Amino acid sequence: MKTSENNFDDTFCCSPNRSEQSKPDQHLGFETSKEVGTKRCNIPGGTAFVGTNFPKMKVDGEGPLRKVNIKTFQMDMFAVTNARFSEFVNKTGFVTDAERYGNSFVFVDLLPNNTAPSQAVSAAPWWRVIDGAKWNAPTGPGSNISDACDHPVVHVSWNDAKAFAKWAGGRLPTEAEWEHAARGGLGDVQFPWGDKEPNDVDFFPCNIWQGEFPKVNLQKDGYPGTAPVTSFEPNGYGLYNMVGNTWEYT
């Protein structure tokens, strides 16, 4: 979400990415929120694992597994909801990158049947460029978040997330901090809950696709799109939904 309109990077397998450097940050002259508005978990420091020796997609650059030292820090227990992001926008007047560019990417199956033809990303044609798609109109003009106040906010760029974090009195975690927190104290495991793979039969620990991607979504986890941020079991550090839940938009 960081370049001029309709200039995309196809080197990512599942989600699109704007290929040029981001525009300069907006002037963040607003006051920090006096109310954190969410619960936070203490994440213990120490030796942490980052990456993996068995990357599923080498293009993502996740290998090899290495160890780093992490200081103790805090992280929000839940993903930022539409309700909380709305409070941020209402109090600061912040304008997201998607709003400034005038479009964003939406997963094709979530678009209304009467949606006009739109540009697809060549390497990931299930993503469509939708004019007017933004955080409070997730599938474009005419859509809204009235029934998704407790769902995670979508169509948010790194610039937007950085601004929100500053307003909320915190900062964005580093990649190493995020991975350490996501592992929930379990060490070298594949998922926040351990090594057991989600399946399409009886194990649905997070909100991801069930069925033949991208053609058939069985919705065995109960959600065709995003899920409320309190869905599913938290990991060992008490953090909810550290994987899944945001594949529908970018």
Side-chain angles (χ1 to χ4, degrees), residues 194-235:
D195 286 319
K196 185 177 180 180
E197 292 265 3
N199 58 44
D200 293 352
V201 180
D202 59 3
F203 186 52
F204 316 119
C206 62
N207 181 22
I208 57 174
W209 190 278
Q210 288 94 38
E212 182 185 355
F213 183 85
K215 299 178 180 179
V216 179
N217 185 3
L218 300 176
Q219 301 180 32
K220 291 292 188 72
D221 58 20
Y223 302 102
T226 54
V229 299
T230 54
S231 304
F232 308 97
E233 292 295 320
N235 72 3

Side-chain angles (χ1 to χ4, degrees), residues 117-184:
S118 56
Q119 182 179 355
V121 179
S122 60
W126 44 88
W127 289 107
R128 300 298 173 85
V129 182
I130 302 299
D131 290 340
K134 55 183 179 176
W135 72 271
N136 57 355
T139 60
S143 62
N144 61 68
I145 55 173
S146 60
D147 294 328
C149 290
D150 60 347
H151 286 230
V153 64
V154 296
H155 298 302
V156 172
S157 72
W158 182 86
N159 286 333
D160 305 334
K162 180 182 177 182
F164 175 88
K166 178 180 179 179
W167 172 79
R171 61 172 176 81
L172 297 180
T174 66
E175 182 178 4
E177 286 174 334
W178 176 271
E179 285 204 33
H180 177 55
R183 294 174 191 268

Side-chain angles (χ1 to χ4, degrees), residues 57-85:
M57 298 169 183
K58 292 184 180 180
V59 69
D60 288 342
E62 293 300 329
L65 182 71
R66 60 263 190 208
K67 293 181 179 180
V68 297
N69 291 319
I70 297 290
K71 294 182 179 180
T72 298
F73 64 100
Q74 290 188 325
M75 181 175 280
D76 287 357
M77 184 181 295
F78 311 110
V80 177
T81 62
N82 283 313
R84 193 169 176 223
F85 197 78

Side-chain angles (χ1 to χ4, degrees), residues 1-2 7-19 57 59-60 62 104-108 120-129 155-156 213-214 246-250:
M1 302 179 66
K2 299 181 178 69
N7 190 7
F8 311 127
D9 183 348
D10 288 345
T11 60
F12 294 80
C13 63
C14 296
S15 61
N17 198 44
R18 299 192 192 265
S19 57
M57 298 169 183
V59 69
D60 288 342
E62 293 300 329
S104 191
F105 303 90
V106 180
F107 190 79
V108 64
V121 179
S122 60
W126 44 88
W127 289 107
R128 300 298 173 85
V129 182
H155 298 302
V156 172
F213 183 85
T246 55
W247 56 264
E248 301 87 353
Y249 314 92
T250 189

